[in-house]
Amino acid sequence: GAVVSQHPSRVICKSGTSVKIECRSLDFQATTMFWYRQFPKKSLMLMATSNEGSKATYEQGVEKDKFLINHASLTLSTLTVTSAHPEDSSFYICSASRASGTWDTQYFGPGTRLTVL
Amino acid sequence: SQQGEEDPQALSIQEGENATMNCSYKTSINNLQWYRQNSGRGLVHLILIRSNEREKHSGRLRVTLDTSKKSSSLLITASRAADTASYFCATDGGGGADGLTFGKGTHLIIQP
């Protein structure tokens, strides 16, 4: 159990376009989902925390107008990279937690590799 | 936010040898976790150790935690070629559903 999927796994887009990445918890309800970004040969950096039915909380330095997060249901969160530019090319990974107020394991998705030309 | 830092950044050993990776962090934690990531892939959760635990085992993995030194180590015994991957420690920021802070990672190469 506790499987998290992401779609698409890879996406290539032109500069200036928007790209939507989906994160789904397949067999559990995720009260909280997290979005991370990983540049090549680097570590993961938390971008934002998303709670179902409320606005996402963004980490310092992450532009909320550029990275739109929607957590419309307990099994789906989406990250939309708006007006993508080459510097947005990265590996985006989501994770999902069943917890709300108490600690729980985060289950990670397989990641989405975004390449902006 | 806290930041975990692993050392060494890269480690190359022969198959069958033991591999030890270390992680340091800066602030108080509730839990520390270790993850593995194969090149270009998602994360695989290896083991979690709580702040009131000092040592934990899982198969060929042994994790220690020293909260007084704010450090943890991951030992992989009898390494295999399939263990080649990047290993990250991650700490949580406190109670509740907090995002994780990842260390920079150790890239482990097991030479056959």
Side-chain angles (χ1 to χ4, degrees):
Chain A
V3 178
V4 175
S5 70
Q6 278 183 245
H7 178 79
S9 58
R10 284 179 184 274
V11 57
I12 301 173
C13 70
K14 292 183 179 179
S15 188
T17 60
S18 295
V19 174
K20 181 185 283 189
I21 303 170
E22 292 185 347
C23 177
R24 291 182 186 274
S25 56
L26 298 184
D27 50 3
F28 67 99
Q29 293 187 326
T31 308
T32 305
M33 287 184 169
F34 304 89
W35 287 95
Y36 297 84
R37 181 166 61 182
Q38 183 180 32
F39 290 108
K41 299 189 187 302
K42 298 290 186 182
S43 187
L44 284 78
M45 297 293 291
L46 178 67
M47 297 175 67
T49 301
S50 163
N51 290 298
E52 186 265 338
S54 62
K55 290 185 178 180
T57 303
Y58 291 81
E59 294 298 300
Q60 194 171 10
V62 178
E63 300 175 58
K64 59 182 178 183
D65 293 331
K66 181 166 187 63
F67 298 100
L68 301 179
I69 292 172
N70 185 295
H71 193 160
S73 77
L74 285 172
T75 58
L76 174 64
S77 176
T78 60
L79 168 68
T80 301
V81 183
T82 62
S83 187
H85 289 281
E87 57 265 30
D88 298 324
S89 298
S90 188
F91 193 53
Y92 292 87
I93 305 176
C94 73
S95 71
S97 168
R98 290 172 290 201
S100 177
T102 59
W103 190 86
D104 192 14
T105 300
Q106 290 186 29
Y107 302 94
F108 283 83
T112 296
R113 186 162 302 283
L114 170 64
T115 303
V116 185
L117 302 177
Chain B
S1 63
Q2 51 202 267
Q3 180 175 13
E5 298 208 4
E6 286 91 339
D7 75 86
Q9 291 189 9
L11 178 62
S12 180
I13 61 174
Q14 294 293 317
E15 193 167 22
E17 293 180 337
N18 296 341
T20 300
M21 291 160 272
N22 302 297
C23 165
S24 61
Y25 56 93
K26 295 181 180 177
T27 62
S28 297
I29 62 170
N30 280 344
N31 311 283
L32 185 143
Q33 304 178 68
W34 284 90
Y35 289 86
R36 183 183 73 218
Q37 184 181 36
N38 290 83
S39 181
R41 302 293 190 98
L43 296 176
V44 175
H45 183 259
L46 296 176
I47 197 164
L48 177 149
I49 187 165
R50 299 192 187 279
S51 59
N52 60 355
E53 297 177 309
R54 292 296 166 258
E55 187 172 312
K56 204 161 184 179
H57 297 253
S58 177
R60 294 184 296 114
L61 305 179
R62 173 176 166 249
V63 169
T64 63
L65 178 64
D66 186 336
T67 52
S68 67
K69 295 181 180 178
K70 291 187 168 58
S71 67
S72 173
S73 68
L74 171 67
L75 168 68
I76 302 174
T77 60
S79 63
R80 304 168 182 169
D83 294 330
T84 294
S86 290
Y87 292 81
F88 296 93
C89 70
T91 54
D92 70 331
D98 291 331
L100 299 177
T101 300
F102 283 83
K104 294 178 181 177
T106 294
H107 184 53
L108 176 64
I109 298 173
I110 308 299
Q111 307 276 5

